[in-house]
Amino acid sequence: QSALTQPRSVSGSPGQSVTISCTGTSSDVGGYNYVSWYQQHPGKAPKLMIYDVTKRPSGVPDRFSGSKSGNTASLTVSGLQAEDEADYYCCSYVADYTVIFGGGTKLTVL
Amino acid sequence: QLQLQESGPGLVKPSETLSLTCSVSGGSISSSNYYWAWIRQPPGKGLEWIGSLYYSGSTYYNPSLKSRVTISLRTSENQFSLKVSYVTAADTAVYFCARVFKATDYLDYWGQGTLVTVSS
């Protein structure tokens, strides 16, 4: 069970948009619309940002959006703000009561 | 508002057993709509799913840890626990407990995490 593949880092200037990819296989990301994304600030617990590929929990800004094509899911952050600087992890269903995480991406706001 | 809180020793000796408890408040651990998970994060590294538990008592473990991990339910106390046996320095990590929405497997509530260091 290998981790989903994410870029180690991405960056953008305030106001710009960045996209973080998450590549898996047809047995996880590509096989189900059960991909979620988490934001983690240093020393804090992860926070749910996107679930079911495209849905946002209450309270998450609409600057955050999710999508999927084939075996790759993506998280886009539009109108970058300083507080968006954090680590981001994707997560996918793989089997009953079992999920797998991506390796994580550090988003830097320049 | 649901809250999860991890508790347990912060220091464990090599070859011994790591034991943690997750206390759930503001909701029932016996809900059929959710299951419960342990996740860990070694210092400076990414998240690793350890295993999951459903209120029926059914458990599911990461194959890479399965031989050393036990997750169990304490329904009357609204808690669930984690045991990792024969620990090494590689088990040093922040350990999180979380609630998972069963239908589509997203983790909607997390504990704050607790650092466990394996060292003699």
Side-chain angles (χ1 to χ4, degrees), chain B residues 11-66:
Chain B
L11 181 65
V12 181
K13 291 183 167 55
S15 80
E16 295 190 345
T17 296
L18 176 163
S19 296
L20 295 174
T21 296
C22 182
S23 299
V24 180
S25 59
S28 173
I29 202 169
S30 298
S31 170
S32 61
N33 294 322
Y34 300 95
Y35 63 92
W36 307 88
W38 285 99
I39 302 98
R40 71 181 183 180
Q41 185 172 36
K45 296 189 178 181
L47 302 171
E48 179 182 33
W49 173 75
I50 300 171
S52 303
L53 170 76
Y54 191 47
Y55 83 99
S56 63
S58 299
T59 52
Y60 306 83
Y61 300 127
N62 186 323
S64 68
L65 298 169
K66 186 174 183 177

Coordinates of all heavy atoms in Angstrom, one line a residue, chain B residues 11-66:
Chain B
L11 N 6.6 8.9 26.6 CA 7.9 8.3 26.4 C 7.7 6.8 26.6 O 7.2 6.3 27.6 CB 8.9 8.9 27.4 CG 10.3 8.3 27.3 CD1 11.0 8.6 26.0 CD2 11.1 8.8 28.5
V12 N 8.2 6.0 25.7 CA 8.1 4.5 25.7 C 9.5 4.0 25.4 O 10.2 4.5 24.5 CB 7.1 4.0 24.8 CG1 7.0 2.5 24.9 CG2 5.7 4.6 25.0
K13 N 9.9 2.9 26.1 CA 11.2 2.3 25.9 C 11.1 1.4 24.7 O 10.1 0.8 24.4 CB 11.7 1.6 27.1 CG 12.0 2.4 28.3 CD 12.6 1.6 29.5 CE 13.2 2.5 30.5 NZ 12.3 3.5 31.0
P14 N 12.2 1.2 24.0 CA 12.3 0.3 22.8 C 11.9 -1.1 23.3 O 12.3 -1.5 24.4 CB 13.7 0.4 22.4 CG 14.2 1.7 22.8 CD 13.5 2.0 24.1
S15 N 11.2 -1.8 22.5 CA 10.7 -3.2 22.7 C 9.5 -3.3 23.6 O 8.9 -4.3 23.7 CB 11.8 -4.1 23.2 OG 12.0 -4.0 24.6
E16 N 9.1 -2.2 24.2 CA 7.9 -2.2 25.0 C 6.6 -1.8 24.2 O 6.7 -1.7 22.9 CB 8.0 -1.2 26.2 CG 9.2 -1.6 27.1 CD 9.2 -0.9 28.4 OE1 8.6 0.2 28.5 OE2 9.9 -1.3 29.4
T17 N 5.5 -1.7 24.9 CA 4.2 -1.5 24.2 C 3.7 -0.1 24.4 O 3.7 0.4 25.5 CB 3.2 -2.5 24.6 OG1 3.6 -3.8 24.3 CG2 1.8 -2.2 24.0
L18 N 3.4 0.6 23.3 CA 2.9 1.9 23.3 C 1.4 1.8 23.5 O 0.7 1.0 22.7 CB 3.2 2.6 22.0 CG 2.7 4.0 21.6 CD1 3.5 4.5 20.4 CD2 1.2 4.0 21.2
S19 N 0.8 2.5 24.4 CA -0.7 2.5 24.7 C -1.2 3.9 24.7 O -0.8 4.7 25.5 CB -1.0 1.8 26.0 OG -0.5 0.4 26.0
L20 N -2.2 4.1 23.9 CA -2.9 5.4 23.9 C -4.4 5.2 23.9 O -4.9 4.2 23.5 CB -2.6 6.2 22.6 CG -1.1 6.6 22.4 CD1 -0.9 7.2 21.0 CD2 -0.7 7.6 23.5
T21 N -5.1 6.2 24.4 CA -6.6 6.2 24.5 C -7.1 7.5 23.8 O -6.5 8.6 24.0 CB -7.1 6.2 26.0 OG1 -6.6 5.0 26.6 CG2 -8.6 6.3 26.0
C22 N -8.2 7.3 23.1 CA -8.9 8.5 22.5 C -10.2 8.6 23.2 O -11.1 7.7 23.1 CB -9.1 8.3 21.0 SG -9.9 9.7 20.2
S23 N -10.5 9.7 23.9 CA -11.7 10.0 24.5 C -12.6 10.9 23.6 O -12.1 11.9 23.2 CB -11.5 10.7 25.9 OG -10.7 9.9 26.7
V24 N -13.8 10.4 23.4 CA -14.7 11.1 22.5 C -15.8 11.8 23.4 O -16.5 11.2 24.2 CB -15.4 10.2 21.5 CG1 -16.3 10.9 20.6 CG2 -14.3 9.4 20.7
S25 N -16.0 13.1 23.1 CA -17.1 13.8 23.8 C -17.9 14.6 22.8 O -17.5 14.9 21.8 CB -16.5 14.8 24.9 OG -15.7 15.7 24.3
G26 N -19.2 14.8 23.2 CA -20.1 15.5 22.3 C -20.7 14.7 21.2 O -21.4 15.2 20.3
G27 N -20.6 13.4 21.3 CA -21.2 12.4 20.4 C -20.9 11.0 20.8 O -20.0 10.8 21.6
S28 N -21.6 10.1 20.2 CA -21.5 8.7 20.6 C -20.5 7.9 19.7 O -20.6 8.0 18.5 CB -22.9 8.0 20.6 OG -22.7 6.6 20.9
I29 N -19.7 7.1 20.3 CA -18.8 6.3 19.6 C -19.5 5.1 19.0 O -19.0 4.4 18.1 CB -17.6 5.8 20.5 CG1 -16.4 5.4 19.7 CG2 -18.1 4.7 21.4 CD1 -15.2 5.1 20.6
S30 N -20.8 4.9 19.4 CA -21.6 3.8 18.9 C -22.4 4.2 17.6 O -23.3 3.4 17.2 CB -22.5 3.3 20.0 OG -21.7 2.8 21.0
S31 N -22.2 5.3 17.1 CA -23.0 5.7 15.9 C -22.6 4.8 14.7 O -21.5 4.6 14.4 CB -22.6 7.2 15.5 OG -23.2 7.5 14.2
S32 N -23.7 4.4 14.0 CA -23.4 3.5 12.8 C -23.0 4.3 11.6 O -22.6 3.7 10.6 CB -24.7 2.8 12.5 OG -25.8 3.7 12.2
N33 N -23.0 5.6 11.6 CA -22.6 6.4 10.5 C -21.1 6.7 10.4 O -20.7 7.3 9.4 CB -23.4 7.8 10.5 CG -24.9 7.6 10.3 OD1 -25.3 6.7 9.6 ND2 -25.6 8.4 11.1
Y34 N -20.4 6.3 11.4 CA -19.0 6.7 11.5 C -18.2 5.5 11.9 O -18.7 4.5 12.5 CB -18.8 7.8 12.5 CG -19.5 9.1 12.1 CD1 -20.8 9.3 12.7 CD2 -19.1 10.0 11.2 CE1 -21.5 10.5 12.4 CE2 -19.8 11.1 10.9 CZ -21.0 11.4 11.5 OH -21.7 12.5 11.1
Y35 N -16.9 5.6 11.6 CA -15.9 4.7 12.3 C -14.8 5.5 12.8 O -14.7 6.8 12.6 CB -15.5 3.5 11.3 CG -14.7 3.9 10.1 CD1 -13.3 3.9 10.1 CD2 -15.4 4.1 8.9 CE1 -12.6 4.2 8.9 CE2 -14.7 4.4 7.7 CZ -13.3 4.4 7.7 OH -12.7 4.7 6.5
W36 N -13.9 4.9 13.5 CA -12.8 5.6 14.2 C -11.5 5.2 13.8 O -11.3 4.0 13.6 CB -13.1 5.4 15.7 CG -14.5 5.8 16.1 CD1 -15.6 4.9 16.0 CD2 -15.0 7.1 16.4 NE1 -16.7 5.6 16.3 CE2 -16.4 6.9 16.6 CE3 -14.4 8.3 16.6 CZ2 -17.2 8.0 16.9 CZ3 -15.2 9.4 17.0 CH2 -16.6 9.2 17.1
A37 N -10.5 6.1 13.8 CA -9.2 5.8 13.2 C -8.1 6.3 14.0 O -8.2 7.3 14.8 CB -9.1 6.3 11.8
W38 N -6.9 5.7 13.9 CA -5.7 6.2 14.4 C -4.8 6.5 13.3 O -4.7 5.7 12.3 CB -5.0 5.2 15.4 CG -5.6 5.0 16.7 CD1 -6.5 4.1 17.1 CD2 -5.4 5.9 17.8 NE1 -6.9 4.3 18.4 CE2 -6.2 5.4 18.9 CE3 -4.7 7.1 18.1 CZ2 -6.3 6.0 20.2 CZ3 -4.7 7.7 19.3 CH2 -5.5 7.2 20.3
I39 N -4.1 7.6 13.3 CA -3.2 8.1 12.3 C -1.9 8.6 13.0 O -2.0 9.1 14.1 CB -3.8 9.2 11.5 CG1 -5.1 8.8 10.8 CG2 -2.8 9.8 10.4 CD1 -6.3 9.3 11.6
R40 N -0.8 8.4 12.4 CA 0.4 8.9 13.1 C 1.3 9.7 12.1 O 1.1 9.6 10.8 CB 1.3 7.8 13.7 CG 2.0 6.9 12.7 CD 2.7 5.8 13.4 NE 3.5 5.0 12.5 CZ 4.3 4.0 12.9 NH1 4.4 3.7 14.2 NH2 4.9 3.2 12.0
Q41 N 2.1 10.6 12.6 CA 3.0 11.5 11.8 C 4.3 11.6 12.4 O 4.5 12.3 13.4 CB 2.3 12.8 11.7 CG 3.0 13.8 10.8 CD 2.2 15.1 10.6 OE1 1.6 15.6 11.5 NE2 2.3 15.6 9.3
P42 N 5.3 10.9 11.9 CA 6.7 11.0 12.4 C 7.2 12.4 12.3 O 6.7 13.2 11.4 CB 7.5 10.1 11.5 CG 6.5 9.1 11.0 CD 5.2 9.8 10.8
P43 N 8.1 12.9 13.1 CA 8.5 14.3 13.0 C 9.0 14.7 11.6 O 9.9 14.0 11.0 CB 9.7 14.3 14.0 CG 9.4 13.2 15.0 CD 8.7 12.2 14.2
G44 N 8.5 15.7 11.1 CA 8.9 16.2 9.8 C 8.4 15.4 8.6 O 8.8 15.7 7.5
K45 N 7.5 14.4 8.8 CA 7.1 13.5 7.8 C 5.5 13.6 7.6 O 4.9 14.4 8.2 CB 7.5 12.1 8.0 CG 9.0 12.0 8.0 CD 9.4 10.5 8.1 CE 11.0 10.4 8.0 NZ 11.4 9.0 8.1
G46 N 5.0 12.8 6.7 CA 3.6 12.8 6.4 C 2.7 11.9 7.3 O 3.2 11.3 8.2
L47 N 1.5 11.9 6.9 CA 0.5 11.2 7.7 C 0.5 9.7 7.3 O 0.6 9.4 6.1 CB -0.9 11.8 7.5 CG -1.1 13.2 7.8 CD1 -2.5 13.7 7.4 CD2 -1.0 13.4 9.4
E48 N 0.3 8.8 8.3 CA 0.2 7.4 8.0 C -1.0 6.8 8.7 O -1.1 7.0 10.0 CB 1.5 6.7 8.5 CG 1.5 5.2 8.2 CD 2.7 4.5 8.7 OE1 3.3 4.9 9.8 OE2 3.1 3.4 8.1
W49 N -1.9 6.2 8.0 CA -3.0 5.6 8.6 C -2.6 4.3 9.3 O -1.9 3.5 8.7 CB -4.1 5.2 7.5 CG -5.2 4.4 8.0 CD1 -6.3 4.8 8.7 CD2 -5.4 3.0 7.7 NE1 -7.1 3.8 8.9 CE2 -6.6 2.7 8.3 CE3 -4.7 2.1 7.0 CZ2 -7.1 1.4 8.3 CZ3 -5.2 0.8 7.0 CH2 -6.4 0.4 7.6
I50 N -2.9 4.2 10.6 CA -2.5 3.0 11.4 C -3.6 1.9 11.3 O -3.3 0.7 11.1 CB -2.3 3.4 12.9 CG1 -1.2 4.4 13.0 CG2 -2.0 2.1 13.7 CD1 -1.0 5.0 14.4
G51 N -4.9 2.3 11.6 CA -6.0 1.3 11.6 C -7.3 2.0 11.9 O -7.3 3.2 12.3
S52 N -8.3 1.2 11.8 CA -9.7 1.7 12.0 C -10.5 0.7 12.8 O -10.2 -0.5 12.8 CB -10.4 2.0 10.7 OG -9.6 2.9 9.9
L53 N -11.6 1.3 13.4 CA -12.5 0.5 14.3 C -13.9 0.9 14.1 O -14.2 2.1 14.0 CB -12.1 0.8 15.7 CG -12.9 0.2 16.8 CD1 -12.7 -1.3 17.0 CD2 -12.6 0.9 18.1
Y54 N -14.8 0.0 13.9 CA -16.2 0.3 13.8 C -16.9 -0.1 15.1 O -16.4 -0.9 15.9 CB -16.8 -0.5 12.6 CG -18.2 -0.1 12.2 CD1 -18.6 1.2 12.0 CD2 -19.2 -1.1 12.0 CE1 -19.8 1.5 11.6 CE2 -20.5 -0.8 11.6 CZ -20.8 0.6 11.4 OH -22.1 0.9 11.0
Y55 N -18.0 0.5 15.4 CA -18.7 0.4 16.7 C -19.0 -1.1 17.0 O -19.2 -1.5 18.1 CB -19.9 1.3 16.8 CG -21.2 0.7 16.2 CD1 -22.1 0.1 17.0 CD2 -21.4 0.8 14.8 CE1 -23.3 -0.4 16.5 CE2 -22.6 0.2 14.3 CZ -23.5 -0.3 15.1 OH -24.6 -0.9 14.6
S56 N -19.1 -1.9 15.9 CA -19.4 -3.3 16.1 C -18.2 -4.0 16.7 O -18.4 -5.2 17.2 CB -19.8 -3.9 14.8 OG -18.7 -3.9 13.9
G57 N -17.1 -3.4 16.7 CA -15.9 -4.0 17.2 C -15.0 -4.5 16.1 O -13.8 -4.9 16.3
S58 N -15.4 -4.4 14.8 CA -14.6 -4.8 13.7 C -13.4 -3.9 13.5 O -13.5 -2.7 13.7 CB -15.4 -4.8 12.4 OG -16.5 -5.7 12.4
T59 N -12.2 -4.5 13.3 CA -11.0 -3.7 13.1 C -10.3 -3.9 11.8 O -10.5 -5.0 11.2 CB -10.0 -4.0 14.3 OG1 -9.8 -5.4 14.3 CG2 -10.6 -3.5 15.6
Y60 N -9.6 -2.9 11.4 CA -8.9 -3.0 10.1 C -7.5 -2.3 10.3 O -7.5 -1.2 10.8 CB -9.7 -2.2 9.0 CG -11.1 -2.8 8.9 CD1 -12.1 -2.3 9.8 CD2 -11.4 -3.7 8.0 CE1 -13.4 -2.9 9.8 CE2 -12.7 -4.2 7.9 CZ -13.7 -3.8 8.8 OH -14.9 -4.3 8.8
Y61 N -6.5 -2.9 9.9 CA -5.1 -2.4 10.2 C -4.3 -2.2 8.9 O -4.4 -2.9 7.9 CB -4.4 -3.4 11.1 CG -5.1 -3.6 12.4 CD1 -5.3 -4.9 12.9 CD2 -5.4 -2.6 13.2 CE1 -5.9 -5.1 14.1 CE2 -6.0 -2.8 14.4 CZ -6.3 -4.1 14.9 OH -6.9 -4.3 16.1
N62 N -3.4 -1.2 9.0 CA -2.4 -1.1 7.9 C -1.5 -2.3 7.8 O -1.0 -2.8 8.8 CB -1.5 0.2 8.2 CG -0.6 0.5 7.1 OD1 0.0 -0.3 6.5 ND2 -0.3 1.8 7.0
P63 N -1.5 -2.9 6.6 CA -0.7 -4.2 6.5 C 0.7 -4.1 7.1 O 1.3 -5.1 7.6 CB -0.7 -4.5 5.0 CG -1.9 -3.8 4.5 CD -2.1 -2.6 5.4
S64 N 1.3 -2.9 6.9 CA 2.7 -2.8 7.4 C 2.9 -2.8 8.9 O 4.0 -3.0 9.4 CB 3.3 -1.5 6.8 OG 2.7 -0.4 7.4
L65 N 1.8 -2.6 9.6 CA 1.8 -2.5 11.1 C 1.0 -3.6 11.7 O 1.0 -3.8 13.0 CB 1.3 -1.2 11.6 CG 2.1 0.1 11.1 CD1 1.3 1.3 11.4 CD2 3.4 0.1 11.8
K66 N 0.2 -4.4 10.9 CA -0.8 -5.3 11.4 C -0.3 -6.2 12.5 O -1.0 -6.5 13.5 CB -1.4 -6.1 10.3 CG -2.5 -6.9 10.6 CD -3.2 -7.6 9.4 CE -4.4 -8.4 9.7 NZ -5.0 -9.0 8.6

